[in-house]
Amino acid sequence: MELAYYSDYAVRLVNSEEPARGKDSLTSVEAVRDLFGVNASAARRTTDADVTRFRSVRARLRAVFEAADKGDETLAVDLLNSLLLEFPVSPQISGHDNRDEDGRPLWHMHLADHPSNATAGYAAIAAMGLAFHLTEYGVDRLGLCEAAPCRNAYLDTSTNRSRRYCSDRCATRANVAAYRARKRLEAERPERSASTGRAAENAQRASASGER
């Protein structure tokens, strides 16, 4: 099963919106079709009505990532199960398009959807892919970027479960911000020390004056 491929459907849809920045790229039929990637036949079923339906599914998928990010495994699973029940798929063996060196089919599992509309097909694959990823690697592998205000979704595939950002760009931005914060703190320390020293001297002088 191509877990990373199918679960990426969920990530692509969730990241079509950046709530903290007030950005939403899911505003047209063409934007919805772009989410399908190479699955052109499924994308062709998209209509204007799917734009609103995709946004609804997107909110529900983001809720799964938010629950996982907060460590609420039960809620994440419950939310994902509700999507799986509403948007079912049929696993099938496929391989007719891929051959090994001897010309034999490279059999693999494929998620076949039989949707009434483009949203149902996309949601079924996204939810199933995310479910396989969660059960295979753990709920803590579903994350939201820590580089504020990004909060894009990502799937942690690192060997030591150490991923914290959705991209190298966000990781670099966060590291630069942390470096600048440390430098500001270091620059403020001598000033605070000098201020504290002056305050102590003034207190001593005031005390000496009072004693006299």
Side-chain angles (χ1 to χ4, degrees):
M1 183 73 67
E2 297 176 346
L3 295 177
Y5 174 77
Y6 286 121
S7 55
D8 192 53
Y9 271 61
V11 173
R12 287 204 300 271
L13 178 53
V14 171
N15 291 346
S16 65
E17 180 185 28
E18 296 181 71
R21 291 190 173 111
K23 294 182 179 180
D24 188 350
S25 63
L26 202 57
T27 58
S28 65
V29 170
E30 289 71 24
V32 171
R33 287 174 177 164
D34 287 343
L35 290 172
F36 282 91
V38 297
N39 197 347
S41 59
R44 282 195 291 270
R45 296 194 297 262
T46 306
T47 67
D48 288 332
D50 285 301
V51 177
T52 301
R53 288 194 288 252
F54 260 70
R55 287 178 172 177
S56 176
V57 172
R58 178 179 65 189
R60 294 170 67 182
L61 286 170
R62 174 170 281 279
V64 175
F65 278 92
E66 288 174 343
D69 186 62
K70 293 175 182 175
D72 194 338
E73 297 189 27
T74 301
L75 178 58
V77 169
D78 287 345
L79 292 170
L80 195 48
N81 273 336
S82 68
L83 284 164
L84 292 170
L85 288 171
E86 186 174 344
F87 303 106
V89 294
S90 302
Q92 294 181 350
I93 299 174
S94 180
H96 57 277
D97 293 330
N98 301 293
R99 304 277 173 171
D100 62 16
E101 294 178 355
D102 298 322
R104 294 175 300 186
L106 293 172
W107 302 114
H108 62 277
M109 292 300 296
H110 172 72
L111 297 182
D113 59 282
H114 308 285
S116 56
N117 54 65
T119 303
Y122 193 100
I125 293 174
M128 184 62 76
L130 202 57
F132 274 115
H133 196 97
L134 185 152
T135 53
E136 181 73 16
Y137 301 110
V139 72
D140 58 339
R141 292 290 188 151
L142 279 58
L144 291 173
C145 186
E146 293 185 14
C150 178
R151 301 302 282 169
N152 271 352
Y154 65 84
L155 299 170
D156 186 358
T157 55
S158 64
T159 55
N160 58 354
R161 300 172 184 262
S162 60
R163 185 170 177 178
R164 297 167 55 202
Y165 307 105
C166 68
S167 64
D168 290 339
R169 179 182 178 182
C170 275
T172 300
R173 184 161 55 85
N175 289 334
V176 169
Y179 173 78
R180 289 174 177 170
R182 287 196 302 272
K183 286 298 182 182
R184 283 196 300 270
L185 185 61
E186 290 171 1
E188 290 170 359
R189 280 172 182 164
E191 294 179 6
R192 285 202 298 268
S193 296
S195 177
T196 301
R198 286 194 297 271
E201 289 176 6
N202 291 336
Q204 260 186 334
R205 288 172 184 162
S207 175
S209 298
E211 288 175 358
R212 287 197 298 270

